[in-house]
Amino acid sequence: MTLSEQPHQATRVALLTGASSGIGEAIAHRLSEEEDLRLLLSGRDRVRLRRAARGTNGVVLPVDLAAPGGSERLARLALHTAGRVDLLVAAAGIGWCGPFDTMPIPSIDQVLSVDLTAAMRLVRQLLPQMIARRRGNIVLIGSMIGQAPLAYEAVYAAANAGLAAFAESLRFELTGSGVKVTQVALGPVDTAFFEHRGIPYQHTRPRPIPASRAANAVVRAMLRGRDEVSIPRWAGLPRRLRGASPGIYRRLVTRFS
């Protein structure tokens, strides 16, 4: 079953953030395969966003979510452009890796703003019109690091932990409203993310998965109405180990991270 084949879901409007590169760009191209789905694509780099949107028939809405009022501006643009948003996929995210005592203060604010606060503010702006129609999907894409923190990613882990808690709490709140919340915890994906965070990915195993594979898994999770999903599947193992045996988890992280 495709998104367009679900009951009462014809000509849905989807807003995707982080669409100018990486996993967001891959999701944009995967969603473009769905019939009767109008795409609104957002990213902060206008040139890269237009390049990424080629072949998707998506409407580009360049907005910097880290800028003051960025989330509110994007919500207004989306509602003005399409009249409503039925599906929100919050894929925008940035990282920073290194000793916390060397992390620049502006970088702390930027990671928290893009990875957590912007998504919450965007949901706040778009949720009322979903509730009023008793129909909507919210997909919040974060990292497995939020559920199983590692060294040298303290702020990134905190932002993603907050996103997971926000998704869980909001899901309880929206029970019976017709609005679904899906929280995605990604493992390593083969994108430029690691280059931009300050330290490249240095492990031989597990190897990062292709962005297209991650995008397919995200869309499958939406189609199946999953509450939460780890991509790839093994990405959920550290969280379960941490919950079942925190002492063993901490010893393994101290040894290998």
Side-chain angles (χ1 to χ4, degrees):
M1 177 182 289
T2 64
L3 288 168
S4 59
E5 289 170 339
Q6 297 183 53
H8 310 298
Q9 299 298 314
T11 320
R12 297 213 303 169
V13 177
L15 172 61
L16 170 65
T17 69
S20 59
S21 63
I23 179 64
E25 180 179 358
I27 293 173
H29 285 273
R30 175 59 185 85
L31 288 177
S32 70
E33 299 172 4
E34 299 295 324
E35 298 178 359
D36 301 319
L37 187 66
R38 184 179 184 187
L39 281 179
L40 307 178
L41 306 177
S42 184
R44 61 179 175 176
D45 188 312
R46 185 182 300 268
V47 174
R48 287 167 56 191
L49 180 61
R50 291 189 181 280
R51 186 183 304 123
R54 291 172 185 167
T56 68
N57 294 319
V59 177
V60 297
L61 303 177
V63 173
D64 183 0
L65 293 177
S71 296
E72 290 76 8
R73 180 169 180 265
L74 178 56
R76 288 195 301 269
L77 282 172
L79 294 175
H80 176 76
T81 300
R84 70 182 191 281
V85 172
D86 302 294
L87 168 64
L88 169 64
V89 183
I94 58 174
W96 194 94
C97 188
F100 181 65
D101 63 348
T102 68
M103 187 174 187
I105 295 298
S107 295
I108 296 176
D109 296 337
Q110 188 177 36
V111 170
L112 291 174
S113 175
V114 175
D115 293 5
L116 177 59
T117 308
M120 295 171 70
R121 294 174 73 103
L122 190 55
V123 171
R124 171 61 185 86
Q125 295 295 311
L126 297 176
L127 184 59
Q129 48 94 41
M130 292 183 181
I131 293 175
R133 295 193 315 278
R134 299 190 60 81
R135 169 179 149 190
N137 293 77
I138 296 169
V139 181
L140 302 173
I141 299 180
S143 168
M144 60 177 285
I145 298 300
Q147 302 169 343
L150 298 175
Y152 304 115
E153 297 187 80
V155 177
Y156 182 63
N160 280 276
L163 189 69
F166 171 64
E168 184 80 354
S169 181
L170 187 63
R171 188 181 303 114
F172 288 136
E173 184 175 328
L174 295 175
T175 299
S177 69
V179 181
K180 291 285 298 180
V181 179
T182 298
Q183 195 264 327
V184 178
L186 290 175
V189 179
D190 188 12
T191 69
F193 173 84
F194 293 105
E195 298 173 14
H196 296 157
R197 71 173 183 165
I199 296 179
Y201 189 77
Q202 299 173 326
H203 303 287
T204 56
R205 292 187 178 182
R207 296 186 63 83
I209 65 173
S212 58
R213 177 181 165 190
N216 288 335
V218 169
V219 174
R220 280 200 304 272
M222 291 188 290
L223 292 174
R224 297 172 181 174
R226 297 279 298 276
D227 288 341
E228 59 183 7
V229 61
S230 297
I231 301 172
R233 291 183 180 179
W234 65 258
L237 294 177
R239 171 178 57 84
R240 290 194 287 272
L241 176 61
R242 183 185 178 212
S245 184
I248 293 176
Y249 168 81
R250 293 188 183 109
R251 286 196 293 273
L252 288 174
V253 169
T254 299
R255 180 176 178 182
F256 295 109
S257 70

